[in-house]
Every structure is written in C-alpha cells, then in structure tokens.
Amino acid sequence: MTARSIARIALVIFVVLMVQQTMMVALRIENAHPDLLWLLPITAALVDGPETGAIVGFWAGLAFDLVLPTPFGLSALVGCLLGYATGSLTNAVDPRAAWLKPVAALAGSVAADMLFAVLGAILGQGQMVQINFLALFLMVGISSVVLVLPVSRLMRWALAGENHRRSLVSAQTDSRIW
Amino acid sequence: VARSRRSRRTLTVIILVVLSLSLISLDLNGRTHSLTSGIKSVANDVYSPLRQGVVDLISPIGNFFAGAFDYGAVQSENEQLQRAIGQLRAAQAERGFDQNQLRQLTQLENLPFLNSLPTVTAQTQDEYSSNFTATITLNKGRADGVDVGFPVVGAGGLVGQVIASYHHTSVVRLVTDGQSKVGVVFGQDNKYTAIVDGQGPGSDLTADLVAPGTPLHKGEIMYTSGLQAAEFPPGIPVATVSTFHTAAGASQESISVEPSANLGQLAYVDVVQWVPST
C-alpha cells in the first residue's frame, strides 16, 4: 500500500467517523441508528481484496473505538474479521455484478453487528445483547444498502492505484463502474 | 506466488487479530485499563472540538429544514424550560422521601440530601453513540470537576452514572443500560429495598429482590437507598412502578418500573459531586 493510499484511507476514515457521530446517530428509530463503520472494511475488501479489507477494518475500528463506550479494540477486531471475510468470500465474484455491493453491505453489516454483540457479551458486556435486534438489523441493513455506494466511491478514490483483487476484469474497466 | 500471497495475507490477519485481542485485554484488565483510558482521553480531547465544529457547521442546515427561522433559540429555550420543570418535579418527589427520612432519623444530623450536595450543570453533546449501549456524552469533564462514579440527575430523577471522564467531556451510563444496577428503597417509611436493573434502551426497567407479598401500588416511587457502600446518595427518585405481579411459587415479585427521569429530555443534566463513603 502506498503512502498516498494510506493518507487517503486515513482521511476517509476520519470523514466517515465524523458523519457517523454527527449525522447518523441522530437518525435513530427504535433506539437503532445506521452504522457506517462496517461499510469501510466491506468496500475496501470489494475494491482491493481481503488483506486490504482486514487492514482498513482494523484501523477504522480502532478509530471508532476511541470515541465509543464499548470495549477498546472490539470494533477493530470485528472490522478486521469483516474485511477479511468479505474479501475472501467475494474474491471469485465478478466485481461488475450490480448486486454485489448491496448484498455484501447488507449481509456484512448485519453479521458484523451480530458478531460485535456476541463478542461484547462474551467479554462481560451483557447489555450488548439486551437490545432490539430486529430494529437494529433493519436500520443497519437498510442504511448500509443505501449508503454503500457513496462509501464505495470514497474507498475507490482512497485506494486508487492499488489492485490486489483477483478481478475478472481489468482495473481500468472496473473503475468506471461507480 | 499465489501461495506466498495467501500466506502473507493470513499472517497479516493473524497479527491484526492478535493486536485487537491484546488491546481488548488491556482495556478489560483493571491494572492496565488506565492505559487505554488515557489513550481514549487524549483522543476525545482532540475529537470533541472537531465534532462540535462539524455540528455547528451542519446544524443551521438542519434547523433550516426544520422549517423555523429562529428554531435554534426556541429549541434552546424549550430545553431550559424542560429542565426547570424537571427540577421542580424532582424537588416535589424528593419532599415525600425527605419527610419519611426525617420522621425516622431526626436524631441524625447532616443527612446527605441532594439539595445540599454540590452539582455541575452539563450539556449533553451526544446521545446513544453506540447501538449497543445506553450512554450520553456530556460537555464537562475532569477539568470541570466531573469524575468517574458521580451520579447524574435530570428532569424528574436519576439519569445515570459517570463511567468515563476525560479532560473536558465525560460519558454517562443511563439507568436503562443493561449494566445499570441501582439500590433503591420504597414503601411507607422507606422500609423495603430492591435493585433497579436496566434492561437495555427502549425497555422498561425491572425492580428485583422484592419478596412476594410486599405492599406495592402502581405509580409508587423508588428512591436511591444510600445504604452502606451505595453508589448513589439517598433520596434521588429512580423509577416509578408501572406493573407488578407474583407468579405462583416465585421467590420474588416481578416488578416493571419506568425511569423517573425524563430520558427523552437530556439536553441539560446535573452531575452530583458525590463520592460513596468507604
């Protein structure tokens, strides 16, 4: 990963963190609000493969851990695993497929929230499973499907020049999709 | 080449997972928690002004869409009025508790009533920043006299307790959070005790450890007990009984209670500078 990509990814993480903590937390229905954090490793993995997904997920999670009241390192762990899993599971899929981003965003966000809650409970934070999961999954799932496109565009800009994903099409063709 | 890339990828993920687990261990270990807490404190001191700047930047847009030219001022005035009403309600509710206590303990002096305790008024910066916890962030921190463990009161009663204090901000766990437990007293002469347990955001609280047959009525107010080693001073309204019943053969009553504090109006709260006696 080049220094330029690292700087751009840091900027994207910062922008997404700010949007999350200022605007998204206000969009609360049934005590659940959208969670943009998970879209960072998902889109990074879709753009540049599982390794980049894991790295972006770790650093994005760590940045969010600094301002969230949940255990420090938990978002980093889930982000890292999410990025790796998304990249590995979609490695053989044609990245031009229209369904790929929405489906990855929906499944990845819901799975990440579930893993986050379960790991939190295992680590002694029992309150993390005492929430309305249906409302959470609906809110996070729907918002992720809607917001995956702009976040994906940001991530594509941040990772311009990186191409570790085993793609069925060339990077140049692929870059015109979004 | 493909195998080497796969090995490197696996190694990277293993390193990141181990790093994450190490950070979690540091945070959850009582002896090393201060390290992660310190990192969070520094990060929050940098982050809070930035966040406030963004909020200041985007709030006029939000206010515009809300459809009122002077919406911000009206909202602020409304919040202050809500707070004043809440304080009056709390004072009214506390009076009943005070009378009970006075009847029983007239020989004791210097009771730690809330009115005599110093408080710091703080503004709520952020509510429910995580989907998994019921917390609020205040704009006052260690530099303003707000420390971990201090009770927080608002419109109508107890709001929660400070669980993290940074230089100019602090995090409060609300009474509805699943990890919140408050020792309470209720009934005539405040002779019955219970534990009010949070059940997660949006859910009613429960009052546990109440023996079957304990006299109760709907609307009964439960107050912080202030018993030895209690985490809150006595006499703060915590919750109001909404439903109760005893199942056949149960060892305790099943009591559902609602928070006395208006948790929908948390624009301003008071942090009580109270440390439990050891």
Side-chain angles (χ1 to χ4, degrees):
Chain A
M1 204 179 280
T2 63
R4 191 182 68 160
S5 293
I6 292 169
R8 283 183 173 190
I9 287 169
L11 182 64
V12 168
I13 291 174
F14 176 76
V15 168
V16 170
L17 174 66
M18 281 296 164
V19 171
Q20 173 69 37
Q21 295 297 315
T22 54
M23 286 189 265
M24 294 302 147
V25 291
L27 301 174
R28 211 167 61 239
I29 300 171
E30 287 290 315
N31 289 301
H33 54 68
D35 207 339
L36 292 182
L37 162 62
W38 308 132
L39 291 179
L40 292 168
I42 291 170
T43 52
L46 291 177
V47 171
D48 201 35
E51 191 178 2
T52 305
I55 294 169
V56 170
F58 175 80
W59 288 108
L62 207 58
F64 276 67
D65 277 331
L66 288 170
V67 298
L68 291 179
T70 44
F72 189 64
L74 187 54
S75 304
L77 176 63
V78 175
C80 164
L81 294 173
L82 175 64
Y84 185 74
T86 307
S88 300
L89 292 171
T90 60
N91 218 15
V93 179
D94 182 352
R96 290 175 302 178
W99 56 267
L100 180 59
K101 286 186 178 73
V103 169
L106 176 72
S109 299
V110 169
D113 269 339
M114 212 184 298
L115 182 63
F116 191 74
V118 170
L119 285 177
I122 290 169
L123 292 168
Q125 307 288 309
Q127 85 283 2
M128 290 175 67
V129 288
Q130 288 178 309
I131 54 168
N132 183 350
F133 275 102
L134 182 64
L136 176 71
F137 291 159
L138 277 173
M139 173 53 98
V140 170
I142 292 168
S143 60
S144 293
V145 169
V146 172
L147 296 167
V148 69
L149 300 185
V151 175
S152 177
R153 200 178 172 91
L154 276 175
M155 194 54 73
R156 190 167 287 280
W157 168 79
L159 291 169
E162 307 286 333
N163 185 24
H164 296 125
R165 186 180 160 86
R166 197 179 58 195
S167 168
L168 298 177
V169 290
S170 69
Q172 207 174 359
T173 314
D174 191 27
S175 69
R176 277 187 247 120
I177 297 169
W178 300 108
Chain B
V1 176
R3 186 180 292 174
S4 139
R5 189 188 292 175
R6 207 174 303 136
S7 308
R8 196 190 70 174
R9 187 197 296 168
T10 310
L11 185 65
T12 306
V13 174
I14 289 171
I15 290 170
L16 293 176
V17 168
V18 170
L19 252 175
S20 308
L21 291 172
S22 306
L23 290 171
I24 294 170
S25 308
L26 284 173
D27 192 46
L28 296 180
N29 187 322
R31 281 181 295 179
T32 51
H33 176 73
S34 56
L35 182 70
T36 52
S37 176
I39 295 169
K40 274 185 154 185
S41 180
V42 172
N44 271 275
D45 290 339
V46 175
Y47 160 78
S48 290
L50 289 171
R51 183 190 171 282
Q52 196 54 46
V54 174
V55 169
D56 290 344
L57 202 69
I58 62 172
S59 58
I61 303 166
N63 290 345
F64 175 78
F65 282 110
F69 288 104
D70 203 17
Y71 179 76
V74 172
Q75 193 181 35
S76 172
E77 194 179 355
N78 184 32
E79 284 165 354
Q80 293 202 17
L81 284 169
Q82 289 280 358
R83 181 169 164 261
I85 292 167
Q87 281 175 341
L88 288 170
R89 277 189 192 149
Q92 194 181 17
E94 278 163 24
R95 207 167 295 138
F97 180 87
D98 292 353
Q99 282 163 357
N100 279 335
Q101 287 285 78
L102 279 169
R103 254 202 315 271
Q104 286 179 62
L105 306 165
T106 43
Q107 72 273 36
L108 295 179
E109 289 180 3
N110 301 322
L111 286 172
F113 291 125
L114 180 60
N115 289 342
S116 64
L117 289 168
T119 58
V120 177
T121 301
Q123 195 171 4
T124 302
Q125 275 191 337
D126 196 4
E127 292 179 26
Y128 301 94
S129 57
S130 166
N131 277 321
F132 298 91
T133 55
T135 57
I136 55 171
T137 307
L138 305 181
N139 70 340
K140 297 283 169 70
R142 280 195 312 272
D144 312 288
V146 174
D147 220 333
V148 173
F150 283 179
V152 177
V153 295
L158 187 72
V159 166
Q161 189 176 28
V162 178
I163 55 165
S165 182
Y166 308 121
H167 197 235
H168 281 300
T169 54
S170 52
V171 179
V172 176
R173 177 193 289 141
L174 302 181
V175 286
T176 49
D177 187 272
Q179 285 216 317
S180 168
K181 287 182 193 303
V182 185
V184 294
V185 289
F186 63 96
Q188 201 175 10
D189 300 331
N190 299 320
K191 68 177 178 184
Y192 301 108
T193 59
I195 303 285
V196 169
D197 276 323
Q199 300 295 320
S203 303
D204 270 354
L205 310 158
T206 59
D208 299 329
L209 306 179
V210 178
T214 303
L216 265 174
H217 62 87
K218 194 177 172 186
E220 176 144 25
I221 299 173
M222 296 181 162
Y223 303 89
T224 49
S225 65
L227 297 174
Q228 198 176 8
E231 294 193 344
F232 302 94
I236 305 174
V238 177
T240 308
V241 175
S242 52
T243 61
F244 60 95
H245 72 273
T246 308
S251 59
Q252 63 172 354
E253 286 207 41
S254 180
I255 307 169
S256 184
V257 295
E258 289 170 0
S260 295
N262 181 1
L263 299 183
Q265 268 298 337
L266 294 176
Y268 292 94
V269 292
D270 280 336
V271 181
V272 186
Q273 293 176 304
W274 186 84
V275 182
S277 56
T278 50

